[in-house]
Amino acid sequence: MDDVALRALLERCAGGTLSIDEVIRELRYLPYADLGFARVDHHRELRLGLPEAVYGPGKAPEHVAAIVAALLDVNTGAILVTRASAEQYRAVLDVAPEAELLSPASLIVARRALVPEEGPMLAVVSAGTADLPVAEEAACTAEALGLAVERLYDVGVAGLHRLLAGRAVLDRAAVVIVVAGMDGALASVVGGLVAAPVVAVPTSVGYGAGAGGIAPLLTMLNACAPGVVAVNIDNGFGAAVFATLVLRRAAVDRVAADRAAPERAGVGRAAASGGLR
């Protein structure tokens, strides 16, 4: 349940179309639903603006389906299962027939948020095609959460001319997610080219000295370009959520500024008029 749905519920109560007992019954399961094997956090959408996501590995398909059903029943935003298997997807289809399994992201999207016709764009940039599963997890998550996304893939530092050829995409982006394994240097390069914040995602792609993603993680943490932050290894989902929260907060601030502008203009005119007298 998000703040819009909660407001509508309270307005129905205030208008007399819903009794207090009915409101209490609706709100009883707002904090969480106890399914026995899981406690589904229904309050998260109200707190953070995004429903709880389901991490697929280690969960039985029928448990994943039950959690998705509980989330769909109460929440209004995008419902996602990350790192999902084909078996889990088949189970989810029983409760959400329109659900999608997106490959190579291994992401089940049981419900999407609406993408506004106009709004800031997120660019997802990957160093190599081996980084594609993590890059697609980031891109597909962001799209499901309602962001407009442009992809710029296979533009690693071994051939910087490929990155520069996509400079227009970087310049349009309000936030850039950079996904890279091996040495992880691409994030710092992009950070030195754009005015937008850069979210760096190290991947476990690389030979032995890469230490399963530790090497690119350390490179990204030591980026000499300002404005670069790093998430955990292979965490495309976390990068997309971070970008979504940044862009949503910026949109809220813009709306507030637009509403305040006429008031400031009125004060300015009044002050100028008073000065003339």
Side-chain angles (χ1 to χ4, degrees), residues 9-191:
L9 182 69
L10 295 176
E11 286 175 347
R12 288 173 62 197
C13 182
T17 60
L18 205 64
S19 71
I20 292 177
D21 287 341
E22 288 172 321
V23 172
I24 291 173
R25 188 164 54 250
E26 289 284 338
L27 296 179
R28 182 172 291 123
Y29 298 104
L30 177 58
Y32 69 90
D34 190 349
L35 304 183
F37 55 86
R39 298 188 182 191
V40 182
D41 184 3
H42 290 318
H43 198 265
R44 192 170 306 185
E45 187 174 27
L46 193 60
R47 297 195 315 270
L48 306 181
L50 300 171
E52 182 178 16
V54 184
Y55 179 69
K59 292 184 175 67
E62 61 272 20
H63 288 174
V64 171
I67 294 170
V68 168
L71 290 168
L72 287 169
D73 188 48
V74 175
N75 297 274
T76 58
I79 305 300
L80 309 176
V81 182
T82 66
R83 306 295 171 92
S85 67
E87 292 77 16
Q88 290 170 339
Y89 175 57
R90 286 192 289 270
V92 167
L93 286 176
D94 290 336
V95 299
E98 296 186 4
E100 310 165 83
L101 176 60
L102 304 178
S103 179
S106 298
L107 180 74
I108 295 174
V109 180
R111 181 196 289 141
R112 291 181 174 273
L114 294 177
V115 179
E117 293 183 3
E118 294 185 4
M121 184 270 286
L122 168 70
V124 178
V125 182
S126 79
T129 54
D131 301 308
L132 199 60
V134 177
E136 276 298 286
E137 181 181 64
C140 293
T141 296
E143 287 174 333
L145 294 177
L147 296 187
V149 177
E150 290 192 44
R151 295 160 169 82
L152 188 59
Y153 289 170
D154 198 21
V155 291
V157 297
L160 280 177
H161 54 291
R162 301 171 298 175
L163 176 66
L164 297 176
R167 182 65 189 270
V169 174
L170 299 178
D171 290 342
R172 285 194 296 270
V175 175
V176 182
I177 292 176
V178 178
V179 182
M182 297 289 189
D183 56 12
L186 183 62
S188 189
V189 172
V190 172

